[in-house]
């Protein structure tokens, strides 16, 4: 375990060097979800408490080749924090654009989606409302453990039908 919860705080421990950081870390009321603490402090790793997690220094060490610069040069190699290339909800938008319709169900394949933010969650809720208006159910296909945890935490797990494996392609028409 790489996260130690204590009252309203959590201690995140680096699996590489043992360095730690303490913070409030959870905007979601679920002790297993620590992605806010991880990302607030520029760490990398699992969005869950069970890790692995690495501090910025150790994640930069992994980027340095074995025959590359020494550990004293890690900060120079790591450089400034990279800016995200795309909107965090872009993966949800793509999944919704590729959804398929099967009878009274709209299937949204989330197999490639590891995490979801509030914007992505909002897109799913809006798609659910539109599907319901059209007399269909929005079904989430193969959501990650993180997505399921967020849905449960936000009390939306009963709203969406979850399908564990992708449905066969036969007889499936693309959504209009």
């Amino acid at each position: 375990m790489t996260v130690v919860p204590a009252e309203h705080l959590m201690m995140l421990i680096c699996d590489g060097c043992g360095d730690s950081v303490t913070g409030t870390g959870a905007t979601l009321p679920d002790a297993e979800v620590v992605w806010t603490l991880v990302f607030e402090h520029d760490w990398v790793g699992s969005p869950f408490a069970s890790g692995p997690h690495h501090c910025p220094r150790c994640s930069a060490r992994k980027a340095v080749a074995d025959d590359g610069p020494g550990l004293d040069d890690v900060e120079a190699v790591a450089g400034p924090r990279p800016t995200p290339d795309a909107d965090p909800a872009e993966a949800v938008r793509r999944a919704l654009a590729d959804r398929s319709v099967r009878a009274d169900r709209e299937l949204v394949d989330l197999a490639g989606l590891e995490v979801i933010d509030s914007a992505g969650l909002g897109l799913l809720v809006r798609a659910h409302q539109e599907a319901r208006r059209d007399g269909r159910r929005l079904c989430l296909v193969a959501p990650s453990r993180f997505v399921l945890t967020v849905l449960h935490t936000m009390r939306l797990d009963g709203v969406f039908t979850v399908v564990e494996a992708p449905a066969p392609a036969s007889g499936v028409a693309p959504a209009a």
Side-chain angles (χ1 to χ4, degrees), residues 82-88:
T83 57
D85 292 333
D87 178 8

Side-chain angles (χ1 to χ4, degrees), residues 18-74:
D19 196 11
S20 65
V21 65
T22 302
T24 53
T27 56
L28 303 174
D30 187 332
E32 275 294 299
V33 179
V34 296
W35 65 273
T36 54
L37 181 63
V38 170
F39 294 119
E40 280 177 7
H41 296 282
D42 298 329
W43 286 42
V44 296
S46 170
F48 295 103
S50 58
H53 302 110
H54 295 284
C55 68
R57 185 174 175 91
C58 288
S59 59
R61 274 189 201 133
K62 288 185 171 200
V64 176
D66 291 339
D67 57 0
L71 292 179
D72 294 334
D73 300 320
V74 169

Side-chain angles (χ1 to χ4, degrees), residues 31-157:
E32 275 294 299
V33 179
V34 296
W35 65 273
T36 54
L37 181 63
V38 170
F39 294 119
E40 280 177 7
H41 296 282
D42 298 329
W43 286 42
V44 296
S46 170
F48 295 103
S50 58
H53 302 110
H54 295 284
C55 68
R57 185 174 175 91
C58 288
S59 59
R61 274 189 201 133
K62 288 185 171 200
V64 176
D66 291 339
D67 57 0
L71 292 179
D72 294 334
D73 300 320
V74 169
E75 284 79 12
V77 172
R81 181 178 180 196
T83 57
D85 292 333
D87 178 8
E90 187 59 34
V92 176
R93 282 189 191 92
R94 281 194 306 269
L96 288 169
D98 294 338
R99 69 182 172 242
S100 57
V101 176
R102 185 176 206 167
D104 67 340
R105 295 182 181 175
E106 290 187 19
L107 304 172
V108 180
D109 187 359
L110 298 180
L113 183 70
E114 290 296 317
V115 297
I116 191 167
D117 63 358
S118 59
L121 195 57
L123 290 169
L124 287 179
V125 169
R126 184 179 312 132
H128 162 73
Q129 291 169 339
E130 291 170 359
R132 190 174 63 184
R133 182 191 66 216
D134 295 338
R136 293 199 237 11
R137 277 189 318 212
L138 190 71
C139 300
L140 307 180
V141 180
S144 70
R145 178 177 167 222
F146 182 83
V147 172
L148 291 172
T149 301
V150 170
L151 290 174
H152 175 74
T153 303
M154 301 306 292
R155 297 185 178 150
L156 292 171
D157 51 343

